[in-house]
Amino acid sequence: MLAEIARGLWLTLKHSWRSRVTVQYPDEREEMPKGYRGLHKLLRWEDGLERCVGCKLCSAACPVDCIFVESAENDPARPTSKGERYASVYEINELRCIFCGYCEEACPVGAIVLGNEYEFCQDHRDKFLYAKRDLLVRRTEDYPELKARYDEKRLLTYV
Amino acid sequence: MADLAVMLVKVVAAFGALLLLAAYMTWAERRVFALVQVRYGPNRVGPAGLLQPIADGIKLMFKESVIPAQADKLIFVLAPLVSLVPAMAAFAVIPFGSSVTLFGRQVDLIVADVNVGVLYIFALSGIGVYGIVLGAWASNSKYPLLGGLRSAAQLISYELSLGMSLLGVVLIAGSLSLKDIVAAQAHYPFILLQPLGFLLFLVCMLAETNRSPFDLPEAESELTGGFHTEYSSMHFAMYFLAEYCSMITLSAVAATFFLGGWRGPLLPPVVWFLVKVVAFMFFFMWVRATTPRLRYDQLMGFGWKVLLPLAILNVVATAGVMAFLG
């Protein structure tokens, strides 16, 4: 028995020299895997127009019904999106969302994607109701990691 | 009057240091555990997590002390003290350094040089059991009671071997005073003469402090918390401190009996003493991080059928050699 315990002690001693497996979270972060499904982002085209054309396919595809879209006609003089219509209201209830990614798959223009962000705690339920201004990115180029989320060639462009 | 002042200073300094060391051993234990488990352990509060024990202490102090409705309230509150006081008091007879000259006075670095120091330590560690059993019984709850029963049986069985394992050293040194025992190790530590005694003591001291692999009284997987299941807040903290204080005291006893106490080259005696105690404390933690818990029958079988005969053999052999050498 003593020999076995000595062997165990030696093993634990060896382990104490290994490099640590801990990620010191707030100080260091692990890079998210490529397919990670975090907080939603609404993307724009490179010229700054919104990708979303207000087709509501995401809302239809959503299994928990957490996306609410209302669309409106584009003003031909100053269009918001490249299609006929755009989303005048686009809301996601992030508490309800199960981050399945169906919205992303349903989207014909690659407008809605699930990003890498996972730190969006709030202290009140109401704050999880993300409106369009919370979801819409300023410039898609600022999020190079989202590039891998959609296949440009697959997109049905409404242009 | 001056003697009294010196005495008071020694008492306050020794017990302050003991409490501080006990508090920091909780931190050290968590760090050692993490080390073995390839983690970091507490490293957030202060540099390297060094303020963690203070944060824990403050937290425990501000927690509500829950006393079960069916508990025997007086005994429930007193039991942790019965555990803590002997655990701390036992440290009094341990010499933690040679004598120093303070303000022109020769001061021995030992709180009380009792001529039956060994007996004193065993008497107090025997009383410590009452704290656990009383607390377990006063909780009026089944898990603590089972833990308390185990504790009583375990401590009685292992205290015998613990005492026996030290008898060899006592025979060689020819004194029960810890100061004399350190003095007798002027040339070489007794671990060289009593390797078996040392090994036996090492095992028994794990059992005596309810530490893994002998932590049956508080076996959390089967008895939730064992004897301290119903305890919270500072009452719980006192049990915790008692465990660490008795660990430190037994580490100090081991250092004193087998490794020459405060003796050592180059470094000052107090530092040597601390190094040895901390080394034993590391051993406690290392073993806890390594071994699974023994089954109850294994515990009893090992104590009575292996440790005790070996301890008796050790005493008899030592006595025989002593008699032979005259």
Side-chain angles (χ1 to χ4, degrees):
Chain A
M1 192 175 85
L2 274 180
E4 284 147 20
I5 287 176
R7 219 167 62 217
L9 288 171
W10 173 241
L11 185 78
T12 48
L13 201 66
K14 270 197 301 194
H15 268 71
S16 59
W17 292 109
R18 285 198 185 176
S19 62
R20 310 286 97 181
V21 294
T22 315
V23 176
Q24 296 278 297
Y25 165 59
D27 300 339
E28 46 185 84
R29 277 150 219 256
E30 284 198 321
E31 204 171 307
M32 285 299 115
K34 221 169 140 192
Y36 189 78
R37 301 195 292 261
L39 188 62
H40 305 81
K41 298 275 181 220
L42 269 175
L43 302 184
R44 291 177 191 269
W45 294 107
E46 265 147 46
D47 56 12
L49 286 179
E50 289 173 19
R51 285 190 182 218
C52 182
V53 292
C55 70
K56 303 184 190 177
L57 279 175
C58 49
S59 178
C62 182
V64 289
D65 213 6
C66 71
I67 307 181
F68 175 74
V69 187
E70 219 167 60
S71 45
E73 294 288 328
N74 263 326
D75 178 2
R78 282 184 58 226
T80 315
S81 77
K82 289 194 178 183
E84 281 171 33
R85 301 196 290 174
Y86 72 101
S88 53
V89 178
Y90 196 105
E91 287 177 352
I92 297 181
N93 185 343
E94 297 288 355
L95 271 188
R96 197 162 248 258
C97 178
I98 57 169
F99 299 94
C100 62
Y102 283 8
C103 47
E104 183 181 316
E105 267 178 50
C107 187
V109 289
I112 182 86
V113 293
L114 289 159
N116 280 351
E117 204 179 312
Y118 53 89
E119 294 162 311
F120 48 102
C121 301
Q122 296 289 354
D123 55 7
H124 197 279
R125 286 170 191 231
D126 292 355
K127 295 180 184 168
F128 282 98
L129 200 64
Y130 276 58
K132 193 178 167 188
R133 64 171 175 282
D134 305 317
L135 297 163
L136 196 63
V137 299
R138 200 183 265 270
R139 271 156 36 93
T140 302
E141 295 77 61
D142 295 342
Y143 301 87
E145 77 275 8
L146 300 184
K147 197 80 183 151
R149 305 297 305 198
Y150 51 85
D151 181 4
E152 290 281 357
K153 275 183 247 152
R154 197 196 56 131
L155 301 181
L156 298 167
T157 20
Y158 283 69
V159 192
Chain B
M1 194 61 209
D3 279 341
L4 197 68
V6 168
M7 198 65 213
L8 266 178
V9 168
K10 274 202 292 195
V11 167
V12 171
F15 292 128
L18 181 65
L19 272 181
L20 197 71
L21 196 63
Y24 269 92
M25 280 304 143
T26 65
W27 169 82
E29 170 140 51
R30 292 166 69 184
R31 291 291 287 208
V32 169
F33 248 62
L35 206 65
V36 168
Q37 293 164 357
V38 206
R39 300 183 285 118
Y40 288 107
N43 63 354
R44 290 277 141 191
V45 195
L50 276 173
L51 296 179
Q52 187 71 44
I54 295 165
D56 288 344
I58 292 171
K59 184 198 81 176
L60 279 167
M61 261 182 248
F62 283 102
K63 284 233 166 190
E64 184 190 358
S65 187
V66 181
I67 300 177
Q70 300 298 310
D72 189 323
K73 290 194 180 57
L74 182 67
I75 297 177
F76 186 85
V77 171
L78 285 180
L81 276 174
V82 177
S83 233
L84 181 60
V85 171
M88 289 175 67
F91 193 77
V93 293
I94 289 163
F96 48 89
S98 57
S99 54
V100 291
T101 313
L102 276 182
F103 308 113
R105 297 173 62 87
Q106 190 82 352
V107 179
D108 285 337
L109 288 185
I110 178 171
V111 174
D113 181 19
V114 180
N115 58 3
V116 287
V118 183
L119 291 180
Y120 170 82
I121 287 174
F122 286 127
L124 284 178
S125 77
I127 294 175
V129 188
Y130 284 95
I132 290 174
V133 175
L134 282 176
W137 175 78
S139 299
N140 203 356
S141 163
K142 61 190 164 198
Y143 293 127
L145 188 63
L146 285 169
L149 283 175
R150 286 180 177 190
S151 176
Q154 173 181 333
L155 292 184
I156 289 167
S157 327
Y158 278 77
E159 207 155 74
L160 279 172
S161 314
L162 188 80
M164 287 285 193
S165 65
L166 289 183
L167 268 188
V169 170
V170 172
L171 281 172
I172 297 172
S175 170
L176 286 168
S177 153
L178 273 71
K179 210 175 155 187
D180 295 346
I181 287 169
V182 173
Q185 298 178 77
H187 303 298
Y188 47 84
F190 281 152
I191 184 174
L192 299 175
L193 297 180
Q194 289 282 322
L196 181 61
F198 178 68
L199 211 61
L200 291 173
F201 184 83
L202 222 50
V203 175
C204 292
M205 90 180 173
L206 292 175
E208 189 67 16
T209 47
N210 298 330
R211 294 285 297 187
S212 172
F214 306 105
D215 55 345
L216 285 106
E218 44 190 300
E220 64 274 3
S221 45
E222 46 203 88
L223 297 180
T224 30
F227 63 91
H228 58 57
T229 304
E230 303 289 351
Y231 279 87
S232 52
S233 182
M234 277 318 274
H235 297 306
F236 169 74
M238 273 193 261
Y239 268 131
F240 215 67
L241 272 180
E243 181 178 327
Y244 279 85
C245 282
S246 57
M247 273 163 72
I248 292 172
T249 305
L250 277 183
S251 296
V253 169
T256 306
F257 275 74
F258 295 102
L259 295 186
W262 43 263
R263 289 182 185 283
L266 297 174
L267 296 171
V270 180
V271 175
W272 262 114
F273 180 75
L274 262 177
V275 165
K276 287 170 185 172
V277 169
V278 169
F280 275 110
M281 294 301 289
F282 176 77
F283 177 75
F284 268 111
M285 295 160 190
W286 185 20
V287 167
R288 187 175 164 208
T290 305
T291 54
R293 187 177 303 120
L294 285 182
R295 223 168 47 218
Y296 193 65
D297 58 317
Q298 290 172 329
L299 174 95
M300 281 300 160
F302 185 62
W304 289 104
K305 291 180 198 160
V306 180
L307 281 183
L308 194 59
L310 277 178
I312 291 171
L313 188 75
N314 188 47
V315 172
V316 171
T318 310
V321 172
M322 294 290 290
F324 182 71
L325 294 177

